[in-house]
């Protein structure tokens, strides 16, 4: 059978110096990364690293895999949808045409001769033979007896009993079939309508069309959809590779730097490339590196300082102990002086050990307070009285401006607050005693108790003020100390809901204020607030009292 054509076509301020062994410059590979994300066509070639566990594989699966699945489903949907649409349209048109012709034959052909004559006449006037083949099938002989592509009485195929014909004969309704022609192997669509006379099928009229053109159109459209889908997959893959490179490479550099920090290269910095999440991570790593470097330097200085601080009193104790034991000193005054030095240095050692223990408790969370109602005025005056006698021996005058107002008991830990007062008074003598005068006062400002200690020494350099309460920090002071006393004091005051304020006093010297709330600290309030007035308002109130002649607060 000759081929037939179908019916239709269709992404803190500077503090202490860095550790000496810290690296200031990134390594060569980091310098290359600092130039930005560079990539070439070879980066598009899949490598084993793309299939290893990690961000690369997860991203490719989640992006390229999803797009690829979508493309496959689109191709399947396009194939099935187009096939159904074209085949359904062709079937509907062929069924309508064959039914109309069959009804005409049933009305005018009463005998077999009339049927054959009219069939021959109908075929001779069939105008769509270039698209359709019209056949008349003899059901008894099971062959085509007449075809628009052959002469009268000649068969174009040995047997025409395909599913459409048998369906038409069995049901006396229009039959439909899609398959391959037995003689040519060509895919065809056939529609058969029975010629019924006296309740019996006398013959079958059959329309046949080739599916080559329509199948070609469907294949062409599906191929176009596949090409578009593959293009989408390729674009997604390229974008994914670029995105992966822009994320994974900086993270790899950050990981490498973090490993170097972990192995001791404190202070090493990563050059920031973009103001995004990676840039924020870079800033965080850089800040961490600098903080570790500073802490490491302070820790080293602290160990050195503590070693020196411990060695000095131990040397004095050992020296005087050996001297007294040797019996070389017979003068009673010298003997008592040596014993006094031993006792004094022993007390200093005990104080240093206590500070170290407090610091250890702060670090591991075991630092606690035993809160009870206390007379804060009496506690502070006791500390002032004790140190007044000590300062007198050192040639320092201690002036205490007493407050006539009596305070109600406030919640606090008396031992810890006494520790704060003693430490601050000792620091005032140690760092500001050269001025010869120390002033203390206690007063009430609104709902806050303000305790102040002022010396007339050299004061604190302005650039060091933000760091004086940090652990291990000693600054430029040459006075003895381990750098954790003020850190412990600040922790104690903060846990009482108060503020430890350290500043330079007008006219010279240092002014330290301990601000404590009269009421119990609320857990809902931020750490470091007094529970009453902000620090700046308290300072303003105190300045106003000074200007109005209130001398209770220096």
């Amino acid at each position: 059978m000759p081929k037939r054509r179908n019916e239709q076509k269709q992404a803190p301020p500077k503090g202490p110096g860095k550790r000496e062994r810290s690296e200031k410059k990134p390594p060569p590979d980091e310098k290359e990364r600092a130039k930005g994300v560079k990539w070439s066509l070879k980066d598009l070639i899949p490598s084993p690293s793309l299939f290893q566990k990690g961000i690369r594989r997860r991203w490719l699966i989640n992006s390229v895999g999803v797009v690829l699945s979508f493309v496959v489903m689109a191709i399947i949907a396009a194939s099935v949808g187009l096939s159904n649409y074209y085949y359904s349209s062709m079937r509907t048109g062929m069924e309508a045409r064959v039914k109309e012709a069959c009804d005409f034959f049933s009305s005018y052909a009463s005998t077999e001769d009339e049927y054959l004559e009219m069939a021959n006449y109908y075929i001779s006037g069939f105008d769509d033979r270039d698209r359709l083949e019209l056949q008349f099938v003899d059901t008894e002989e099971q062959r085509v007896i007449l075809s628009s592509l052959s002469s009268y009485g000649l068969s174009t195929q040995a047997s025409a009993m395909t599913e459409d014909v048998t369906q038409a004969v069995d049901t006396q309704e229009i039959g439909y079939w899609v398959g391959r022609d037995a003689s040519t192997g060509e895919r065809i669509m056939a529609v058969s309508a029975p010629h019924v006379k006296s309740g019996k099928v006398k013959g079958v009229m059959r329309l046949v069309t080739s599916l080559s053109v329509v199948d070609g159109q469907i294949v062409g459209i599906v191929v176009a959809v596949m090409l578009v889908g593959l293009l989408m997959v390729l674009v997604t893959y390229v974008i994914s590779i670029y995105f992966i490179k822009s994320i994974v490479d900086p993270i790899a550099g950050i990981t490498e730097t973090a490993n170097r920090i972990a192995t001791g290269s404190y202070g090493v910095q990563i050059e920031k490339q973009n103001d995004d999440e990676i840039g924020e991570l870079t800033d965080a790593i850089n800040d961490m590196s600098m903080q570790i470097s500073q802490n490491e330097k302070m820790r080293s200085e602290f160990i050195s300082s503590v070693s020196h601080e411990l060695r000095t009193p131990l040397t004095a104790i050992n020296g005087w102990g050996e001297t007294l034991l040797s019996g070389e000193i017979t003068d009673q005054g010298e003997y008592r002086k040596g014993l006094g030095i031993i006792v004094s240095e022993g007390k200093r050692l005990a104080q240093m050990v206590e500070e170290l223990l407090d610091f250890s408790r702060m670090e591991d969370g075991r630092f606690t307070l035993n809160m009870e109602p206390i007379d804060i005025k009496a506690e502070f005056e006791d500390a002032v009285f004790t140190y007044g006698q000590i300062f007198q021996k050192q040639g320092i005058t201690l002036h205490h401006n007493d407050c006539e107002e009596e305070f109600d008991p406030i919640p606090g830990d008396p031992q810890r607050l006494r520790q704060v007062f003693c430490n601050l008074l000792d620091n005032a003598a140690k760092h500001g005693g050269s001025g010869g005068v120390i002033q203390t006062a206690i007063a009430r400002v609104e709902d806050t108790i303000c305790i102040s200690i002022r010396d007339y020494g050299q004061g604190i350099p302005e650039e060091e003020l933000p760091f004086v309460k940090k652990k291990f920090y000693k600054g430029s002071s040459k006075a003895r100390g381990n750098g954790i006393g003020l850190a412990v004091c600040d922790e104690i005051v903060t846990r009482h809901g108060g503020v430890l304020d350290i500043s330079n006093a007008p006219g010279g010297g240092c002014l330290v204020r301990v601000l404590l709330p009269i009421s119990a600290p609320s857990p809902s309030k931020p750490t470091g607030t007094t529970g009453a007035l902000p620090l700046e308002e308290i300072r303003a109130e105190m300045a106003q009292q000074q200007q109005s002649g209130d001398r209770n607060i220096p």
Side-chain angles (χ1 to χ4, degrees):
M1 179 184 296
K3 292 187 178 181
R4 312 167 181 92
R5 289 179 293 177
N6 73 344
E7 188 176 7
Q8 303 176 11
K9 295 184 180 180
Q10 306 277 358
K14 294 185 179 178
K18 297 182 181 178
R19 189 179 181 181
E20 291 182 358
R21 67 176 178 138
S22 300
E23 299 183 29
K24 300 181 180 179
K25 296 182 180 180
D29 54 343
E30 290 183 11
K31 289 182 179 179
E32 291 299 322
R33 295 189 190 98
K35 296 177 182 178
V37 178
K38 293 185 178 181
W39 61 292
S40 58
L41 292 178
K42 67 178 182 180
D43 294 322
L44 301 178
I45 301 175
S47 60
S49 61
L50 290 178
F51 305 100
Q52 296 175 355
K53 292 183 178 179
I55 296 177
R56 291 181 176 90
R57 191 174 76 169
R58 290 202 305 270
W59 183 264
L60 286 178
I61 291 176
N62 293 335
S63 57
V64 178
V66 170
V67 175
L68 183 60
S69 300
F70 174 78
V71 169
V72 171
M73 289 188 294
I75 292 173
I76 295 174
S79 302
V80 174
L82 288 172
S83 299
N84 290 336
Y85 172 75
Y86 278 111
Y87 288 3
S88 177
S89 299
M90 293 172 61
R91 176 181 178 179
T92 301
M94 292 172 65
E95 285 181 347
R97 186 158 187 173
V98 75
K99 185 177 184 302
E100 179 183 358
C102 194
D103 290 342
F104 172 78
F105 273 79
S106 298
S107 301
Y108 294 99
S110 57
T111 64
E112 182 178 354
D113 292 337
E114 291 178 350
Y115 175 77
L116 292 175
E117 185 178 354
M118 292 187 64
N120 189 41
Y121 176 76
Y122 193 83
I123 283 179
S124 63
F126 189 65
D127 296 331
D128 293 328
R129 63 183 69 243
D130 59 334
R131 295 183 300 162
L132 298 171
E133 180 184 1
L134 176 61
Q135 300 175 350
F136 288 92
V137 181
D138 187 332
T139 57
E140 293 181 357
E141 297 182 5
Q142 298 185 358
R143 67 185 182 88
V144 177
I145 59 174
L146 198 60
S147 171
S148 60
L149 297 182
S150 63
S151 303
Y152 173 77
L154 297 178
S155 174
T156 58
Q157 57 184 23
S159 176
M161 298 305 288
T162 53
E163 292 182 10
D164 58 309
V165 177
T166 56
Q167 184 180 355
V169 173
D170 295 339
T171 63
Q172 296 186 3
E173 299 289 340
I174 296 177
Y176 169 78
W177 176 70
V178 172
R180 293 194 176 275
D181 188 284
S183 59
T184 65
E186 181 183 7
R187 275 177 51 81
I188 62 173
M189 177 186 292
V191 174
S192 298
H195 173 62
V196 182
K197 199 67 176 181
S198 301
K200 293 183 179 181
V201 178
K202 299 298 183 179
V204 173
M205 178 183 290
R206 188 172 185 242
L207 282 178
V208 181
T209 186
S210 172
L211 295 177
S212 300
V213 176
V214 69
D215 285 349
Q217 292 178 342
I218 294 174
V219 169
I221 296 176
V222 171
V223 169
V225 173
M226 289 178 62
L227 292 176
V228 173
L230 290 177
L231 180 61
M232 291 175 59
V233 172
L234 180 60
V235 171
T236 304
Y237 176 77
V238 173
I239 294 175
S240 299
I241 292 298
Y242 178 78
F243 182 77
I244 289 172
K245 190 172 181 65
S246 67
I247 294 295
V248 173
D249 283 2
I251 290 179
I254 292 174
T255 302
E256 179 183 347
T257 303
N259 290 333
R260 296 172 60 202
I261 294 173
T263 56
S265 297
Y266 308 128
V268 63
Q269 298 287 286
I270 310 169
E271 186 171 349
K272 183 177 179 180
Q273 297 300 313
N274 300 303
D275 292 327
D276 53 11
E277 288 79 0
I278 300 295
E280 294 176 0
L281 178 60
T282 300
D283 289 338
I285 296 294
N286 288 338
D287 291 342
M288 180 193 71
S289 179
M290 289 300 302
Q291 191 64 41
I292 292 176
S293 176
Q294 294 169 6
N295 289 342
E296 181 68 12
K297 183 176 184 297
M298 287 190 293
R299 185 184 69 85
S300 178
E301 292 176 351
F302 168 73
I303 294 175
S304 176
S305 174
V306 168
S307 300
H308 176 72
E309 292 293 328
L310 291 175
R311 187 186 302 113
T312 301
L314 286 175
T315 301
I317 292 172
N318 290 334
W320 277 102
E322 292 174 358
T323 301
L324 295 176
L325 285 174
S326 67
E328 296 177 358
I329 298 180
T330 57
D331 183 72
Q332 190 68 20
E334 288 294 321
Y335 193 86
R336 292 181 62 84
K337 179 182 178 182
L339 289 177
I341 291 175
I342 292 175
V343 171
S344 175
E345 294 299 325
K347 289 181 179 179
R348 191 155 69 92
L349 277 176
Q351 181 182 358
M352 291 176 59
V353 171
E354 187 62 31
E355 287 182 349
L356 291 173
L357 290 175
D358 287 339
F359 174 73
S360 175
R361 296 187 188 102
M362 286 169 51
E363 290 296 295
D364 59 20
R366 295 183 293 109
F367 192 85
T368 58
L369 301 178
N370 297 317
M371 304 293 285
E372 60 182 68
I374 62 172
D375 185 346
I376 187 65
K377 184 178 179 182
E379 294 291 341
F380 182 60
E381 289 177 349
D382 286 347
V384 170
F385 177 77
T386 301
Y387 270 83
Q389 297 179 337
I390 298 175
F391 290 167
Q392 187 175 4
K393 295 179 181 179
Q394 299 175 358
I396 301 174
T397 302
L398 176 60
H399 293 299
H400 178 62
N401 297 322
D402 194 9
C403 178
E404 297 181 357
E405 181 183 359
E406 295 295 331
F407 305 140
D408 294 332
I410 67 171
D413 185 331
Q415 297 298 327
R416 292 298 184 185
L417 288 176
R418 175 69 70 90
Q419 179 181 347
V420 171
F421 302 150
C422 292
N423 189 289
L424 295 179
L425 288 168
D426 185 63
N427 281 349
K430 186 187 303 180
H431 300 281
S434 59
V437 177
I438 294 177
Q439 288 185 327
T440 61
I442 182 171
R444 176 172 178 169
V445 182
E446 297 292 337
D447 293 331
T448 302
I449 302 297
C450 178
I451 297 169
S452 60
I453 301 172
R454 174 180 177 173
D455 63 63
Y456 287 85
Q458 298 297 320
I460 302 173
E462 290 296 329
E463 65 273 11
E464 295 182 7
L465 276 176
F467 306 102
V468 292
K469 293 188 292 184
K470 290 185 178 295
K471 54 191 178 185
F472 308 146
Y473 185 72
K474 294 182 62 178
S476 58
S477 174
K478 303 301 181 181
R480 293 185 301 179
N482 51 32
I484 60 175
L486 285 179
V488 173
C489 290
D490 185 57
E491 180 72 15
I492 294 173
V493 174
T494 299
R495 286 176 180 259
H496 278 81
V499 173
L500 177 62
D501 178 44
I502 302 176
S503 61
N504 287 319
C510 180
L511 176 61
V512 180
R513 298 187 182 98
V514 178
L515 308 173
L516 297 173
I518 293 179
S519 58
S522 172
S524 63
K525 292 180 180 179
T527 301
T529 60
T530 64
L533 292 175
L535 180 58
E536 293 301 325
E537 295 186 21
I538 292 177
R539 287 176 173 173
E541 180 70 18
M542 293 169 63
Q544 184 178 359
Q545 290 183 4
Q546 287 181 344
Q547 293 175 1
S548 63
D550 186 353
R551 309 307 301 173
N552 288 335
I553 304 175

